[in-house]
Amino acid sequence: MSSSPGVGADQGVGRRNFLRNTGIAAFAILGTGALAACSSAVSEQKAGSDDNAQPVRGGTLKVGWPTDIIPANLLTNSGTVPALIGLVYESLVRYPHDKLEPAPLLAKSWTLADDGLSLTLDLRDDVKFHSGRQFTAKDVEFSLRTYADPKWSAQLKSTAAAITEYDIVGPNRIVLKFAHPLGNIFDLLDTAPILDSETIAEATTADKFIGTGPFELTQRTPNSLLVFERNELYRIPDRPYLDRVEISIIPDTQALVNALKSGQIAVANGLNYRDNENFAKSAGFSTITYEGAELQIYVGANVAEPALADVKVRQAIAYAIDRERIISEVFRNAGYPVNLPWPKTSPAFDDARNKTFSRDIAKAEQILAQTSKPPKLTLSYDTSLPYYEATAQIVQANLAEIGIEVTLDPIESATFVKRLIGAEFPGLWVTTHSWAQFTPSTLTVSAYPFNARKNASHYESPAYVSAADAAWQVKQGTSAEAVQAYRKVSDQLLDGLFLIEIGVHLQQAATSRKVHGLDWTKRRETVLTDAFLS
């Protein structure tokens, strides 16, 4: 049996604000830029120019972000959604940055059954939605059932769907029963936001976003501005410190740089790594690195395309890619090369298997000579962040060295996401994936690129499905048994090579040194509960 400690009760007083100026707009690929933060109960590694700075109440934090939200994609962790989720909504538990050990958030304690087939959650009794309605166990059931609904395209929906029964014992206690042990159940509870059943329909049309978080979204001008105001009902006394957060949508990287330099904004998200490097060296500015919330840059392959159907072609590509150059030049060494999706902090990280493919042009040419050389291939990339194009250009040059001609295909962000989810890329693509920083089984049963049953590459393998399921159904996701299961998953990924990993990189943002207490979740979600301005 396992359990967590409880947390004390807090209180707040009431005010309501309502969303106006709503609409629909584009958003960025999952796994891309998003500031993030943990609640004060589990906060750590917070950004700030002066560790001795004393919190100051009040003020408006102005943030620059490259993309707007699409409300219908509320549960996809894409684009500006992480800002919306982190500020407006909360989850049941919260992982710290450096480990997969859940800490209390809206659930104050829990007990996992010895057989791994049920989990009892005890909830806080001092939580209210922005509307003033009390949070109860019924909201847990509603939120997890909604998250499991395929229409939302939530990436952990398979784990949510494996909850077969919700036993509400009382207003503040619920028992979740599972179809089989779920080694990644706390990944789901960390990820799924607690939603308001009374206003969820309005959230899809951007009319209203009601959560339990420290801020309320009170204004939205599509493709221009998001305004959040302090939630006076928030359960933690004197939090948040800020009165207001304004997120300006600034798609142009140079405009973001100029806005931060001129003081129009105090946080810039979506800059290229060289700009962040320059801000780190400049007086009055800092660079934040999102430790524990790793992303992986990779090349995906549509194996249904005849030119990419032979794994030998994909192996040749894997040997041709200059991973070290991409990490050094594009990401300014804020990361490291990998062959497998797992970051060094993951229980699935395997140094030996991770060195299967290193840059070797002669070997790539030798393998390619054993099969039919592909005709000109398309290499698609998302235009929302500068490092996608830079990576695609290097990959194009690398493949030219072994005689594979590539045409670059820049795609607007919202369309790119749609094609990824719909498995619609004609050849190769470059983007980032997330979720490998969580329990490893989450990646292979959830993430669009990796899902063993349906993925963006059209890759099908009974052996991969079997390995993914076996890893998923281990009771404890970080146990020795789980580690053995992850090795089999890694072998399947290396054998199939439908995704060709390039490297882990750590997202960064640049801030004014007047910003303190900015923190992030393992999904890079923005939570500014303890943030303040000096």
Short mmCIF file of all heavy atoms in Angstrom, two decimals, residues 1-39:
data_model
loop_
_atom_site.label_atom_id
_atom_site.label_comp_id
_atom_site.label_asym_id
_atom_site.label_seq_id
_atom_site.Cartn_x
_atom_site.Cartn_y
_atom_site.Cartn_z
N MET A 1 0.86 -1.19 0.00
CA MET A 1 0.00 0.00 0.00
C MET A 1 0.89 1.24 0.00
O MET A 1 1.93 1.25 0.63
CB MET A 1 -0.88 0.02 1.25
CG MET A 1 -1.59 -1.28 1.48
SD MET A 1 -3.28 -1.35 0.96
CE MET A 1 -4.12 -0.31 2.08
N SER A 2 0.45 2.31 -0.64
CA SER A 2 1.22 3.55 -0.62
C SER A 2 0.27 4.70 -0.40
O SER A 2 -0.88 4.66 -0.79
CB SER A 2 1.97 3.74 -1.94
OG SER A 2 1.06 3.85 -2.99
N SER A 3 0.77 5.73 0.25
CA SER A 3 -0.08 6.88 0.50
C SER A 3 0.76 8.12 0.57
O SER A 3 1.97 8.08 0.65
CB SER A 3 -0.85 6.70 1.81
OG SER A 3 0.04 6.63 2.90
N SER A 4 0.08 9.28 0.51
CA SER A 4 0.77 10.56 0.62
C SER A 4 0.30 11.26 1.86
O SER A 4 -0.78 11.00 2.37
CB SER A 4 0.45 11.43 -0.60
OG SER A 4 -0.79 12.03 -0.40
N PRO A 5 1.08 12.22 2.36
CA PRO A 5 0.62 13.01 3.49
C PRO A 5 -0.45 13.99 3.05
O PRO A 5 -0.57 14.33 1.89
CB PRO A 5 1.88 13.74 3.94
CG PRO A 5 2.72 13.84 2.71
CD PRO A 5 2.43 12.58 1.92
N GLY A 6 -1.24 14.45 4.00
CA GLY A 6 -2.25 15.46 3.70
C GLY A 6 -1.67 16.85 3.72
O GLY A 6 -0.53 17.06 4.08
N VAL A 7 -2.48 17.84 3.32
CA VAL A 7 -2.07 19.24 3.35
C VAL A 7 -3.11 20.02 4.12
O VAL A 7 -4.27 19.69 4.14
CB VAL A 7 -1.98 19.83 1.93
CG1 VAL A 7 -0.67 20.49 1.73
CG2 VAL A 7 -2.24 18.83 0.85
N GLY A 8 -2.70 21.11 4.72
CA GLY A 8 -3.61 21.90 5.54
C GLY A 8 -4.61 22.70 4.74
O GLY A 8 -4.43 22.96 3.57
N ALA A 9 -5.66 23.13 5.38
CA ALA A 9 -6.71 23.90 4.73
C ALA A 9 -6.33 25.36 4.64
O ALA A 9 -5.66 25.90 5.48
CB ALA A 9 -8.01 23.74 5.50
N ASP A 10 -6.78 26.00 3.53
CA ASP A 10 -6.57 27.44 3.34
C ASP A 10 -7.93 28.06 3.02
O ASP A 10 -8.94 27.39 2.94
CB ASP A 10 -5.59 27.68 2.18
CG ASP A 10 -4.32 26.88 2.35
OD1 ASP A 10 -3.74 26.95 3.44
OD2 ASP A 10 -3.94 26.18 1.40
N GLN A 11 -7.92 29.37 2.80
CA GLN A 11 -9.21 30.01 2.55
C GLN A 11 -9.03 31.22 1.65
O GLN A 11 -7.95 31.67 1.36
CB GLN A 11 -9.84 30.44 3.88
CG GLN A 11 -8.98 31.43 4.67
CD GLN A 11 -9.54 31.69 6.04
OE1 GLN A 11 -10.45 31.03 6.48
NE2 GLN A 11 -9.00 32.66 6.73
N GLY A 12 -10.16 31.76 1.17
CA GLY A 12 -10.11 32.95 0.33
C GLY A 12 -11.47 33.62 0.35
O GLY A 12 -12.42 33.13 0.92
N VAL A 13 -11.59 34.80 -0.29
CA VAL A 13 -12.86 35.52 -0.36
C VAL A 13 -13.26 35.70 -1.80
O VAL A 13 -12.46 35.54 -2.70
CB VAL A 13 -12.74 36.89 0.34
CG1 VAL A 13 -12.55 36.70 1.82
CG2 VAL A 13 -11.61 37.70 -0.24
N GLY A 14 -14.52 36.06 -2.05
CA GLY A 14 -15.08 35.91 -3.38
C GLY A 14 -15.05 37.10 -4.31
O GLY A 14 -15.18 38.23 -3.91
N ARG A 15 -14.87 36.78 -5.59
CA ARG A 15 -15.08 37.74 -6.69
C ARG A 15 -15.23 36.91 -7.94
O ARG A 15 -14.61 35.88 -8.10
CB ARG A 15 -13.87 38.68 -6.85
CG ARG A 15 -13.99 39.55 -8.11
CD ARG A 15 -12.81 40.50 -8.22
NE ARG A 15 -11.54 39.83 -8.21
CZ ARG A 15 -10.97 39.26 -9.27
NH1 ARG A 15 -11.59 39.25 -10.43
NH2 ARG A 15 -9.80 38.68 -9.18
N ARG A 16 -16.05 37.37 -8.87
CA ARG A 16 -16.21 36.63 -10.12
C ARG A 16 -15.90 37.55 -11.28
O ARG A 16 -16.26 38.72 -11.28
CB ARG A 16 -17.63 36.09 -10.26
CG ARG A 16 -18.00 35.05 -9.22
CD ARG A 16 -19.41 34.57 -9.41
NE ARG A 16 -19.60 33.93 -10.70
CZ ARG A 16 -20.79 33.55 -11.16
NH1 ARG A 16 -21.88 33.78 -10.46
NH2 ARG A 16 -20.90 32.97 -12.32
N ASN A 17 -15.22 36.99 -12.29
CA ASN A 17 -14.98 37.71 -13.53
C ASN A 17 -15.41 36.81 -14.68
O ASN A 17 -15.37 35.59 -14.58
CB ASN A 17 -13.49 38.04 -13.69
CG ASN A 17 -13.08 39.14 -12.74
OD1 ASN A 17 -13.57 40.25 -12.84
ND2 ASN A 17 -12.19 38.83 -11.81
N PHE A 18 -15.81 37.42 -15.77
CA PHE A 18 -16.32 36.63 -16.88
C PHE A 18 -15.54 36.95 -18.16
O PHE A 18 -15.08 38.07 -18.37
CB PHE A 18 -17.80 36.92 -17.12
CG PHE A 18 -18.64 36.52 -15.95
CD1 PHE A 18 -18.94 37.44 -14.94
CD2 PHE A 18 -19.09 35.22 -15.82
CE1 PHE A 18 -19.70 37.06 -13.85
CE2 PHE A 18 -19.85 34.84 -14.73
CZ PHE A 18 -20.15 35.76 -13.75
N LEU A 19 -15.40 35.89 -18.96
CA LEU A 19 -14.63 35.99 -20.19
C LEU A 19 -15.39 36.80 -21.25
O LEU A 19 -16.57 36.64 -21.42
CB LEU A 19 -14.37 34.57 -20.70
CG LEU A 19 -13.59 34.44 -22.01
CD1 LEU A 19 -12.18 34.94 -21.78
CD2 LEU A 19 -13.57 32.98 -22.45
N ARG A 20 -14.64 37.64 -21.94
CA ARG A 20 -15.24 38.38 -23.04
C ARG A 20 -14.26 38.42 -24.21
O ARG A 20 -13.12 38.00 -24.10
CB ARG A 20 -15.61 39.80 -22.61
CG ARG A 20 -14.45 40.59 -22.01
CD ARG A 20 -14.97 41.91 -21.43
NE ARG A 20 -13.89 42.72 -20.91
CZ ARG A 20 -13.41 42.63 -19.69
NH1 ARG A 20 -13.89 41.74 -18.86
NH2 ARG A 20 -12.42 43.41 -19.29
N ASN A 21 -14.70 38.97 -25.32
CA ASN A 21 -13.87 39.07 -26.52
C ASN A 21 -13.29 37.72 -26.91
O ASN A 21 -12.09 37.55 -27.04
CB ASN A 21 -12.73 40.08 -26.31
CG ASN A 21 -13.25 41.47 -26.08
OD1 ASN A 21 -14.34 41.81 -26.53
ND2 ASN A 21 -12.48 42.28 -25.37
N THR A 22 -14.13 36.69 -27.09
CA THR A 22 -13.64 35.36 -27.36
C THR A 22 -13.57 35.07 -28.84
O THR A 22 -14.09 35.80 -29.67
CB THR A 22 -14.56 34.32 -26.69
OG1 THR A 22 -15.88 34.49 -27.21
CG2 THR A 22 -14.59 34.51 -25.20
N GLY A 23 -12.93 33.94 -29.19
CA GLY A 23 -12.82 33.52 -30.58
C GLY A 23 -11.87 32.35 -30.72
O GLY A 23 -11.32 31.87 -29.77
N ILE A 24 -11.68 31.92 -31.95
CA ILE A 24 -10.86 30.76 -32.25
C ILE A 24 -9.59 31.22 -32.96
O ILE A 24 -9.62 32.10 -33.79
CB ILE A 24 -11.62 29.79 -33.17
CG1 ILE A 24 -12.90 29.33 -32.49
CG2 ILE A 24 -10.77 28.60 -33.54
CD1 ILE A 24 -12.71 28.46 -31.29
N ALA A 25 -8.44 30.59 -32.65
CA ALA A 25 -7.20 30.94 -33.33
C ALA A 25 -6.23 29.79 -33.30
O ALA A 25 -6.49 28.75 -32.72
CB ALA A 25 -6.58 32.18 -32.67
N ALA A 26 -5.08 29.99 -33.93
CA ALA A 26 -4.10 28.93 -34.10
C ALA A 26 -3.34 28.66 -32.83
O ALA A 26 -3.24 29.49 -31.96
CB ALA A 26 -3.12 29.32 -35.20
N PHE A 27 -2.75 27.43 -32.75
CA PHE A 27 -1.94 27.08 -31.60
C PHE A 27 -0.76 26.24 -32.05
O PHE A 27 -0.71 25.80 -33.18
CB PHE A 27 -2.77 26.33 -30.55
CG PHE A 27 -3.21 24.97 -30.97
CD1 PHE A 27 -2.68 23.85 -30.37
CD2 PHE A 27 -4.14 24.83 -31.98
CE1 PHE A 27 -3.09 22.60 -30.77
CE2 PHE A 27 -4.56 23.58 -32.36
CZ PHE A 27 -4.03 22.46 -31.76
N ALA A 28 0.20 26.02 -31.14
CA ALA A 28 1.44 25.36 -31.54
C ALA A 28 1.42 23.87 -31.25
O ALA A 28 0.63 23.39 -30.48
CB ALA A 28 2.63 26.00 -30.80
N ILE A 29 2.35 23.18 -31.88
CA ILE A 29 2.47 21.73 -31.77
C ILE A 29 2.66 21.27 -30.35
O ILE A 29 3.32 21.92 -29.56
CB ILE A 29 3.67 21.26 -32.62
CG1 ILE A 29 3.79 19.75 -32.61
CG2 ILE A 29 4.95 21.85 -32.15
CD1 ILE A 29 2.73 19.10 -33.33
N LEU A 30 2.07 20.13 -30.01
CA LEU A 30 2.26 19.59 -28.66
C LEU A 30 3.73 19.40 -28.39
O LEU A 30 4.50 19.03 -29.24
CB LEU A 30 1.53 18.27 -28.52
CG LEU A 30 1.92 17.19 -29.52
CD1 LEU A 30 2.76 16.14 -28.83
CD2 LEU A 30 0.69 16.64 -30.14
N GLY A 31 4.07 19.66 -27.15
CA GLY A 31 5.47 19.56 -26.78
C GLY A 31 6.21 20.86 -26.98
O GLY A 31 7.35 20.99 -26.59
N THR A 32 5.60 21.89 -27.57
CA THR A 32 6.29 23.13 -27.79
C THR A 32 6.15 24.06 -26.62
O THR A 32 5.62 23.72 -25.58
CB THR A 32 5.75 23.86 -29.03
OG1 THR A 32 4.40 24.21 -28.79
CG2 THR A 32 5.87 23.01 -30.25
N GLY A 33 6.58 25.31 -26.83
CA GLY A 33 6.77 26.27 -25.77
C GLY A 33 5.60 26.46 -24.85
O GLY A 33 4.49 26.62 -25.26
N ALA A 34 5.91 26.45 -23.60
CA ALA A 34 4.94 26.78 -22.58
C ALA A 34 5.65 27.01 -21.29
O ALA A 34 6.35 26.14 -20.82
CB ALA A 34 3.94 25.65 -22.43
N LEU A 35 5.50 28.17 -20.73
CA LEU A 35 6.00 28.38 -19.39
C LEU A 35 5.20 27.50 -18.47
O LEU A 35 4.11 27.09 -18.78
CB LEU A 35 5.82 29.84 -18.99
CG LEU A 35 6.50 30.84 -19.90
CD1 LEU A 35 6.18 32.25 -19.44
CD2 LEU A 35 7.99 30.62 -19.93
N ALA A 36 5.73 27.21 -17.29
CA ALA A 36 4.97 26.35 -16.41
C ALA A 36 5.37 26.51 -14.98
O ALA A 36 6.39 27.06 -14.67
CB ALA A 36 5.17 24.91 -16.84
N ALA A 37 4.51 25.98 -14.07
CA ALA A 37 4.84 26.13 -12.67
C ALA A 37 4.04 25.21 -11.80
O ALA A 37 2.97 24.77 -12.16
CB ALA A 37 4.59 27.56 -12.24
N CYS A 38 4.53 24.95 -10.63
CA CYS A 38 3.86 24.12 -9.64
C CYS A 38 3.20 24.99 -8.60
O CYS A 38 3.55 26.14 -8.44
CB CYS A 38 4.87 23.20 -8.95
SG CYS A 38 5.64 22.03 -10.07
N SER A 39 2.26 24.41 -7.87
CA SER A 39 1.64 25.16 -6.79
C SER A 39 2.61 25.32 -5.65
O SER A 39 3.62 24.65 -5.57
CB SER A 39 0.39 24.42 -6.30
OG SER A 39 0.78 23.36 -5.47
#
